[in-house]
Amino acid sequence: MTGAAMSLTAAASGFVVLLLTVPVVHGQDGWGATYSLRKICALKGSTVEIRCSYRYPPRVNGHETTVERRFWFTKFQDEEPVDVRTDSAYAGRVQYHCGENDCTLTIRDLRESDSAQYKFMFITNQPGGAFTGSPGVTLSVTGLQVKVIYSPRLKCSSSCDLTNHPSYIWYKNGQKTGGKTKYHSGYFYDEDSVSCAVEGHEDLPSPSVCVYGDSCNRVTYTDRSICAFKGSSVDISCSYNSYRSVTSKFWFTAECYRSGSYCRQPVDLSEDSLYAGRVQVFETTTGRSTLRINDLRESDSAQYRFKFKTYWSEWQSGLPGTTLTVTEPRVQVEVIWSSTGPTLVCHSSCLLPGRSSFVWYENGNIIQGETSHSLRRLIDPEDSFSCAYEGYRSPPVYAPRVPTVWVSPPGDIMKNSSVTLSCSSDANSPTVYTWYKNNQSLLRKEPQLVFSSIQSSDSGQYYCTAENDLGRRTSNSTFINVKYGPQTSTLSVSPSGEIVEGSSVTLTCSSDANPAADYTWYKENQTLLQGPEDIYHFSSIRSEDRGTYYCRSVNQHGRSVSSPLFIEVYYAPKLPSVSVSPSAEIMEGSSVNLTCSSDANPAANYTWYKEDEDSAKASGQIFTITNIRAEHSGSYYCEAQNSRGRNNSTFHLTVRASKSRLCTSHLHLKGAAGSVKSAAAGSVAVIFLALIFLCAFVLFRRKKILKQPPEPGEGPDNTAQQQDELFYASVSFSTNRQPNRHKTGEEEEDEEGVEYTVVNVKSATATPGLRRGEAVEDSFALYSTVSKKRRESAQQQSVSL
C-alpha cells in the first residue's frame, strides 16, 4: 500500500505547462540576467521551476567581484524587494537551487494566487553592484474545467493556453473513455458525469461535471493532498452525489490488489485490521463524508478514495482521490538575509491545511504577538531563536560560538608528513568555515585544512572563521611549527673580496634547520670550534690562517656538512733574505749569483740596487754578476714588491784580489825603506825554487786529469776548453806587522824575526765530476824563517815570475 501511495505522490509532484519558450536577456557592461522563458502556464496543484542565468564582471576597478545575495521576488515592501521565501503566502512551498551563475526557483502545490511576475536579483560586493533581470517571467496558474459547448460536445478548458498540443484523457463516471483532444463528443445519460486531464498528468484532473442537470453520479475530494505529522490525527473529506439512492458507502486505499491470478476487491478501512481502532467515518451533512485516522503512522501514507453503491450501479472511479503523507515534524528555522537585515523563517516537513499559527522564541522566551511563519528583527550574535508549529519546537539557531582548532596527529610536526587542521564551532545553523594564514591569506572554505606533505614554508600562524547568516566568529591562532633536520649547509666569507692580512674576516655557516642547528668548524681535518655559533671570526687574520675551511650543522633530526671553502690571505712582502752562490770567498774573475727571497702573497717582484747608484742593477729574483771585479764590492740591496706593499734587505759584497798569477804573476815584497836585506835574498831563492817545484807538480796533475775519460754527457770540446784554462798563484809576503802591545819585548823580537808565506793555487776550470762553473782550488802554505835584527824595519820584496 505504501509503495503505491508513494508512486502517486511522486506523480503529483511536478506538472508544468510552458508557453512561449523564448529566452529573455537583459544587461550591459558585463552585467546581465537571462531567463529561460518569458511566460509560463502551469496547472494548479503542480510544481513549477523558473530558471535564470546571470553574469557579472569578474573584477571592477581592480577588486574581485563576489556574489553576496541572490533571490527571487514578486513585490516590494518599504521600497525593498521581498524574498519569496519570507512571504507567508509561499510558506513551505518554495525552494532555491542555485549554482555559480544560475539560480532556479521551485514552487510546489501551485495555487491560482501564485500567478505573478517573478524577477531575479543578485547583489555583489561592488559598490552599486546589484542587478535585477527585467522584465522577469510571468507565471499563470490555471485549473482544468469541462465545459459543455452543446450536447453532446464537450471541451477541456484552461485559463491559459497549453502549448505543444498535449493529448487529453476523458473520464465518464470516473472511468477512462475515448478521445485524445481537448474536445469530446458522445452519448450521455442523465446520471453520467464527465472529467478531463492532460495525458501523463492524470493526478491533476478537472472536477467532474454532470452533462445534464446536476444530480449525476460523482465524487469530489476536498483536498488533493494532505500532509500530517506522525502520531497525530487527520480528516480526509469528500462530497458525493448519486443519481439513485445509495445503499452502501466506504473509504479504501486501492481499488484492487493483485495477488497471484486474482483481483481482490477494495477493503473498507473500518474493517481493515491495519487500521483497527484508529479510523472513524462520519457525515456532518448529507452528501459529505469524512474519514478520520488517529495515531498516524508513516505506513498510513497512501491515496485514499471514497466508494458508494446503489441498487443499479456503484461508483468505482479511476480518478485520483486524496494523497496523505505522514512524516516526522522536522520543524526548523532558516535565516534569510535582505537589505534590511536577516529574516527568520519557520519551516516544517509539512504544513497542515488551514493551520498557519506559529510561535517564536528568543533566548528561550516567547515573543508575544509573532504568529507568522517569518520573523524580521535585529539580531545580536549572542541571541538564539527557535519556532514552534503544532506543538513541535525547532532547535535554536544562533551565531557561531568561538571556533576551536586542533591538529592531527598531535606532537611534533615533521616535514613531508601528513597533517590535518580541523575547525569546529557550536552553531545550529548552516555554517561556513574559512581558513587563514598569517592574518591575511585566504586558504580555503572547508572545515578541515589538509597538508598531504607539509613543508617548511607551511609554518606559520593559522586560524579559522565560522560564519552563518546570524554572525561570524574567529578562532584563536594556532602556530604550525614544521621541524626538520639541517638542509644543505652553505659556507660564506665576509668581506667577499680579497682577504688582507690583519683585516677582520667572518666565516658564516648557513643551514636551514628547525630547531636551530649547532655548528662545528674545521680547518683541514682539525676541529676549531663547536657550539651554537654559526660564525667563525678572525679579528686580525694572519698568513698562517690560510687554508681550507668547512662546517657541520647538527640538530636532533639530522646533520649536514658544507662544501669546503679555501681562504687565501694576501699580504705585503716580508723582510727579504739574500743568498750568494758560490758561498765561498768571492774572487775576482768569478761568476756570482745573488738570490733574493721574500714571503709574499701575491708573489713578489724583485729589483736589485747598489747603494749610491740611482738606477736599478737588475730585476728578478736572481741577480748574476759574471767576471766579477774588485769595483763590484760594496753594499747592495734587493727590493721585494707586490700589490700589497714592498720591503728590502741590504748586504755587503766583498771581492778579493786574484790569488793565482803563480806562473804568470809577480811576487811583491814589502819593506820599510825599499832595500832588500842580504839575509832575505837567500830566502827568496829558496821560495822561488819551491814555486818552480809547485808549478811543475800542478802541470803534472793537470795532464793526469786530462787523460781521464770524460763523464757521460761531456763532449770533446769540454776537454779542449779545460786544456786552455790558466792556473794562477799568488804569493804574499808581509813583515810590516804591528807590534802586540800586550806581549813582552822578547816575544816581539822573536816574532819580528819570523816571516810567513802562503801560496794559494786556484783553477778556474771545471774538473771532471764537478758541475760546470765550479772551481777547484788547491792551497799550499809555504813557511820560511828569515833571521832579522831586532826592531829592524820590515822589508817588502816583489818578484815577478
Side-chain angles (χ1 to χ4, degrees), residues 274-492:
L274 296 176
Y275 294 88
R278 298 192 298 122
V279 299
Q280 292 176 281
V281 178
F282 54 89
E283 291 188 6
T284 55
T285 60
T286 303
R288 183 172 182 85
S289 179
T290 299
L291 170 67
R292 176 172 295 173
I293 307 175
N294 299 312
D295 189 20
L296 284 170
R297 306 168 186 175
E298 291 188 20
S299 59
D300 294 336
S301 297
Q303 189 177 90
Y304 292 82
R305 299 179 180 179
F306 180 78
K307 181 175 184 178
F308 65 86
K309 293 183 179 180
T310 69
Y311 287 110
W312 299 96
S313 63
E314 67 178 23
W315 177 266
Q316 189 169 337
S317 174
L319 291 171
T322 298
T323 301
L324 172 66
T325 302
V326 180
T327 180
E328 296 285 352
R330 292 196 292 271
V331 179
Q332 60 184 11
V333 176
E334 180 184 7
V335 182
I336 299 174
W337 272 88
S338 66
S339 59
T340 58
T343 299
L344 306 181
V345 178
C346 191
H347 287 288
S348 175
S349 55
C350 70
L351 295 178
L352 304 181
R355 300 178 183 177
S356 58
S357 180
F358 296 83
V359 179
W360 285 95
Y361 298 83
E362 181 178 7
N363 300 323
N365 301 315
I366 294 177
I367 303 176
Q368 299 296 331
E370 295 289 348
T371 59
S372 173
H373 92 297
S374 63
L375 175 67
R376 179 177 297 181
R377 64 191 299 119
L378 294 177
I379 296 176
D380 188 280
E382 298 297 329
D383 293 338
S384 65
F385 295 87
S386 62
C387 70
Y389 177 69
E390 290 295 309
Y392 296 95
R393 188 169 171 179
S394 72
V397 294
Y398 42 84
R401 305 311 184 210
V402 175
T404 58
V405 174
W406 71 91
V407 183
S408 179
D412 286 346
I413 299 174
M414 300 304 301
K415 183 179 179 181
N416 297 322
S417 65
S418 176
V419 177
T420 299
L421 306 184
S422 299
C423 181
S424 66
S425 172
D426 177 18
N428 197 7
S429 180
T431 303
V432 176
Y433 294 94
T434 306
W435 287 96
Y436 297 86
K437 179 182 179 183
N438 298 335
N439 297 324
Q440 56 183 0
S441 301
L442 172 62
L443 300 180
R444 68 185 58 164
K445 292 186 176 182
E446 292 179 359
Q448 291 185 328
L449 184 61
V450 179
F451 300 91
S452 57
S453 179
I454 199 165
Q455 300 300 308
S456 58
S457 58
D458 295 322
S459 295
Q461 296 282 352
Y462 289 82
Y463 67 93
C464 68
T465 62
E467 182 177 10
N468 65 14
D469 292 323
L470 292 177
R472 181 174 184 262
R473 294 291 180 88
T474 301
S475 73
N476 294 324
S477 294
T478 299
F479 183 72
I480 298 300
N481 188 14
V482 181
K483 297 184 177 181
Y484 48 93
Q487 307 299 294
T488 303
S489 299
T490 303
L491 186 59
S492 60

